[in-house]
Amino acid sequence: MDWSAVTAEDLVDALREVDWSTPPRPVPEFFSRFTVPRSYSKWTSRLKCNLYYYRTNYFILIMFILGMGFLWKPVAILAAFMTGLSIAFLNDSFAVTFNEKVTRTVRQFSPHLAAKMRPPITPVLRGRPSSKRSIHICGRPRWVFVLFFAAVSCILWLTSCSLLTVLWALLIALFATVLHASFRTPNLKARLNTFREEFRAVWRNYSEL
């Protein structure tokens, strides 16, 4: 896959639509081989490839650094958790999986309430469901939960009086992520994985015709 042709918007869309339930890559693989990119185009291609392939590892790394920055402040740790949850809700697969698990749990206690938590019926166009359906969580649009958890996290950050600390921790986490993604040499698994994802995207577009 030619990552030099992938824009930042394409990468963000891919990270939003990809399945995040897969476990992180093994630690030995994550820290196995590092080389300096030979050119700017090689660096941008490597950065995009590693950000996509090691997405779960980078998410755990960022949450770990934020957690270590507030090890002695439980309120700040809760704020970091709420922030990570609000970001995770932006991913389609995470939001759908979260909604299914919550609905299934509620159904065991109150089937009537679980029925109200179902998403609205997807409109049917030309005999098949519309591909551009909105994601719902517990019967509400996804953005309601994203804004709610983001607002709660902001309140907790203000309560813990650790805004400056979280900015430094976030900058360190982002710097570590970009540094690793810049120097980690993409292995054969990463290349095969990107080719597989590219085939799935092409097949999905073909099936929608």
Side-chain angles (χ1 to χ4, degrees):
M1 182 175 181
D2 186 12
W3 282 97
S4 60
V6 177
T7 63
E9 183 179 359
D10 295 334
L11 179 62
V12 172
D13 290 339
L15 292 175
R16 180 178 59 83
E17 297 176 0
V18 76
D19 185 10
W20 282 71
S21 60
T22 55
R25 309 296 176 182
V27 175
E29 176 187 342
F30 189 60
F31 294 103
S32 62
R33 184 183 179 187
F34 296 90
T35 57
V36 178
R38 299 179 180 179
S39 63
Y40 177 77
S41 60
K42 294 286 186 180
W43 172 72
T44 55
S45 299
R46 178 184 298 186
L47 182 66
K48 297 171 187 176
C49 179
N50 286 332
L51 286 177
Y52 183 84
Y53 184 71
Y54 294 107
R55 54 188 179 273
T56 308
N57 299 72
Y58 292 141
F59 183 79
I60 295 175
L61 177 64
I62 293 174
M63 290 297 102
F64 175 77
I65 294 177
L66 288 175
M68 290 299 295
F70 307 103
L71 190 59
W72 305 108
K73 297 182 179 181
V75 177
I77 295 178
L78 182 60
F81 174 77
M82 291 294 181
T83 302
L85 194 59
S86 63
I87 296 174
F89 278 135
L90 296 175
N91 178 256
D92 294 350
S93 63
F94 180 86
V96 172
T97 303
F98 180 86
N99 176 68
E100 292 176 351
K101 290 185 177 180
V102 171
T103 305
R104 191 179 302 114
T105 303
V106 173
R107 187 182 295 115
Q108 298 177 358
F109 302 96
S110 177
H112 179 70
L113 179 60
K116 294 183 178 180
M117 296 170 59
R118 294 177 181 175
I121 300 176
T122 305
V124 177
L125 300 177
R126 296 182 181 179
R128 56 186 177 183
S130 175
S131 59
K132 296 182 179 180
R133 61 184 183 89
S134 58
I135 304 298
H136 285 69
I137 303 175
C138 300
R140 297 288 183 268
R142 170 173 52 183
W143 62 265
V144 174
F145 281 79
V146 173
L147 293 179
F148 173 77
F149 282 97
V152 172
S153 63
C154 289
I155 294 174
L156 292 176
W157 287 126
L158 292 174
T159 304
S160 62
C161 300
S162 305
L163 287 179
L164 184 60
T165 306
V166 70
L167 289 178
W168 277 109
L170 186 59
L171 287 176
I172 294 174
L174 293 177
F175 177 76
T177 299
V178 174
L179 189 66
H180 180 278
S182 299
F183 292 97
R184 173 63 174 90
T185 304
N187 53 17
L188 181 60
K189 290 183 179 179
R191 296 189 179 96
L192 291 177
N193 182 76
T194 55
F195 279 120
R196 184 169 61 251
E197 295 295 337
E198 185 180 39
F199 171 78
R200 288 176 179 175
V202 172
W203 177 258
R204 182 169 61 250
N205 292 333
Y206 173 78
S207 62
E208 291 175 357
L209 296 178

